[in-house]
Structures are given as structure tokens and as C-alpha cells.
């Protein structure tokens, strides 16, 4: 049984090196997950991979069935979840192609199914503690793995989670920056909150794929994203290769 899962997003819709020997197709009380869970061996460990946007990267951020995704991972026996997120850099230290391990977040999303405590299954109401959205032990593992693999992690910081799928305006990024955020993405919530509700350890490895609007001027943002993903995902894979063998 695999206790470790990686949720891949933009730039990591597949996990190179994962030798898949089982496709787990689960239904949940909240519907099907984005894609079958792919279980196999990678870096000497058994692990599960879930394509957040579905096979072929077709599901936009606001339409992802986050509740089904996290529920399916727990049903498959997962205890630790590493979420890979492509984000826009806001802080001057978070240039395209760099990676970071967020320490906190601010949720700007709306109209997403964001909790299991909605009365739909007759479950009790739970107000989960969320002062630290990410599991500190898993965050520390990512930072240690980066150091041991000699992969630079440029910071930690605060992740802003916006609705998408459109990118943000200059004024929106300025507001987010005033709120204290260092990066902006579209998929970190309700994913992190749902993991907490289910008792899963959850941490994010964020890859800056572009400067957020207005931070460094306006260029060909899609070309910038393509270049940054190619370079940054090598760093992501290096960290995962170092981390997974150390997880119990």
C-alpha cells in the first residue's frame, strides 16, 4: 500500500520515472476524482500520482473536484500528500524557474465545494484548526531534500489562491501583494483545507513559472511559462527523488 501521493498540476500532468503497475479507479460520495490514481514505484518507493487537472490536462482550476480527489487518496491508504503547484512570482526573490515551499496561504477563491462538513452526508460539523495550513514535518522534509540534492529553494512565503482560470490583473496582484502574499496560484485551496479535514499531512512545492501581472512588466507570458516549466520541473523532480526514500 502506498502511503505517499503526489498531486501534479500544470507542468506535471505525468510523473516521469513512475513505473505504474496499478490504475485505481475509485468513486467517492462526492463523485469521481480528476483521474485514476496511478500507483507504482519511483525512487525506490511505492507512491501514488494524481493528475489534478485530469488526464490530458483538461479540467480548469475552479472545476476540479477537490473533495473527490482528496477522499480518493485517503481511501487508497495515502497519509502524506505533496502538492506540486505552478504559480506566479510576486516577491522579488521568486523569479520564474525557482522553487519555494510555502508556509502559509490566503484563499481568494469562491463558489468551490470547499468542505466535507456541509451536511450532505449526515456527518457532524467540524471546525478544523488551520492556523498552519501545511504539515510542518512534511515541509521540513521538502526543505531537507532540497538541501541534500543541492537544489536551491529560494524561500517559503505566503501563497495567494485565486479563482482562475484567467490570470490576475495588475491591480489584483497589487492588492494581493499588500495582503502579504509572495506568490499566486489557482489550486492550493480548497485542496489544503480538505486534506486537513481528512487528517492527511499536506505540503506544497511551488514552482514560479512567470512574474505575476505588473511585477516585472508585460512580455510574452506564455513563452515565459513554457521556459520556466521545463527548467523548474527538473528541480521539482530532484527534490522528490531525494525526499521519497526518506519518508516512512
Amino acid at each position: 500500500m502506498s502511503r505517499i501521493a503526489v498531486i501534479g498540476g500544470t507542468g506535471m500532468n505525468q510523473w516521469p520515472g513512475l513505473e505504474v503497475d496499478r490504475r485505481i479507479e475509485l468513486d467517492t460520495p462526492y463523485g469521481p476524482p480528476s483521474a485514476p490514481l496511478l500507483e507504482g514505484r519511483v525512487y525506490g518507493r511505492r507512491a501514488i500520482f494524481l493528475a489534478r487537472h485530469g488526464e490530458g490536462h483538461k479540467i480548469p482550476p475552479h472545476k476540479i473536484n477537490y473533495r473527490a480527489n482528496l477522499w480518493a487518496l485517503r481511501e487508497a491508504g495515502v497519509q502524506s500528500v505533496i502538492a506540486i503547484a505552478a504559480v506566479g512570482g510576486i516577491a522579488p526573490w521568486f523569479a520564474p524557474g525557482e522553487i519555494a515551499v510555502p508556509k502559509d496561504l490566503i484563499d481568494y477563491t469562491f463558489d468551490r465545494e470547499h468542505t466535507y462538513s456541509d451536511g450532505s452526508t449526515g456527518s457532524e460539523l467540524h471546525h478544523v484548526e488551520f492556523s498552519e495550513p501545511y504539515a510542518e514535518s512534511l515541509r521540513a522534509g521538502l526543505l531537507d531534500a532540497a538541501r541534500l540534492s543541492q537544489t536551491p529553494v529560494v524561500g517559503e512565503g505566503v501563497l495567494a489562491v485565486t479563482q482562475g482560470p484567467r490570470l490576475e490583473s495588475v491591480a489584483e496582484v497589487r492588492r494581493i501583494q499588500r495582503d502579504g502574499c509572495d506568490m499566486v496560484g489557482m489550486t492550493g485551496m480548497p485542496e489544503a483545507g480538505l486534506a486537513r479535514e481528512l487528517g492527511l499531512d499536506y505540503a506544497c512545492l511551488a514552482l514560479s513559472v512567470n512574474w505575476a501581472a505588473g511585477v516585472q512588466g508585460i512580455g510574452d507570458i506564455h513563452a515565459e511559462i513554457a521556459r520556466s516549466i521545463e527548467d523548474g520541473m527538473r528541480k521539482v523532480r530532484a527534490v522528490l527523488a531525494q525526499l521519497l526514500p526518506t519518508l516512512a
Side-chain angles (χ1 to χ4, degrees):
M1 181 181 293
S2 300
R3 303 275 193 251
I4 305 156
V6 169
I7 300 178
T10 300
M12 192 176 175
N13 205 53
Q14 298 176 335
W15 192 352
L18 177 66
E19 299 175 2
V20 178
D21 54 36
R22 185 183 179 205
R23 286 171 58 95
I24 307 172
E25 300 197 24
L26 292 173
D27 199 6
T28 78
Y30 307 96
S34 295
L37 310 185
L38 303 182
E39 184 175 16
R41 182 165 291 275
V42 63
Y43 312 134
R45 288 298 308 270
R46 292 197 65 77
I48 284 176
F49 178 75
L50 173 60
R52 184 188 284 118
H53 296 276
E55 293 182 312
H57 199 274
K58 297 178 180 178
I59 307 173
H62 67 298
K63 293 292 188 179
I64 292 169
N65 192 339
Y66 295 95
R67 293 196 297 182
N69 285 354
L70 275 298
W71 190 277
L73 290 176
R74 189 190 65 167
E75 289 300 294
V78 168
Q79 295 175 339
S80 298
V81 178
I82 302 162
I84 311 302
V87 303
I90 297 175
W93 48 262
F94 202 19
E98 302 290 356
I99 60 174
V101 181
K103 188 175 180 62
D104 211 336
L105 61 80
I106 298 178
D107 185 6
Y108 298 93
T109 66
F110 52 90
D111 291 338
R112 298 186 181 188
E113 296 290 354
H114 66 281
T115 181
Y116 298 107
S117 293
D118 63 355
S120 64
T121 60
S123 59
E124 295 181 6
L125 174 62
H126 293 288
H127 299 283
V128 295
E129 199 279 325
F130 203 57
S131 59
E132 295 183 354
Y134 304 110
E136 190 56 36
S137 60
L138 199 52
R139 287 187 66 257
L142 286 167
L143 292 168
D144 285 345
R147 177 179 53 82
L148 291 171
S149 64
Q150 299 183 342
T151 306
V153 170
V154 293
E156 300 179 40
V158 179
L159 169 64
V161 188
T162 56
Q163 181 71 355
R166 68 165 177 83
L167 298 174
E168 300 74 32
S169 71
V170 171
E172 287 171 328
V173 171
R174 287 174 181 163
R175 180 192 67 164
I176 289 168
Q177 190 174 32
R178 288 194 299 270
D179 288 347
C181 297
D182 301 292
M183 62 197 79
V184 56
M186 301 175 187
T187 58
M189 285 293 287
E191 200 170 84
L194 294 169
R196 179 61 51 85
E197 288 190 26
L198 294 179
L200 303 177
D201 287 338
Y202 178 96
C204 174
L205 185 57
L207 165 64
S208 175
V209 297
N210 63 281
W211 287 115
V215 174
Q216 294 282 339
I218 299 175
D220 186 344
I221 190 169
H222 296 292
E224 182 179 47
I225 289 172
R227 288 192 302 269
S228 301
I229 284 177
E230 183 177 357
D231 182 48
M233 281 301 166
R234 285 195 292 267
K235 299 177 182 178
V236 168
R237 292 193 294 269
V239 173
L240 293 177
Q242 185 69 47
L243 174 69
L244 262 68
T246 70
L247 293 177

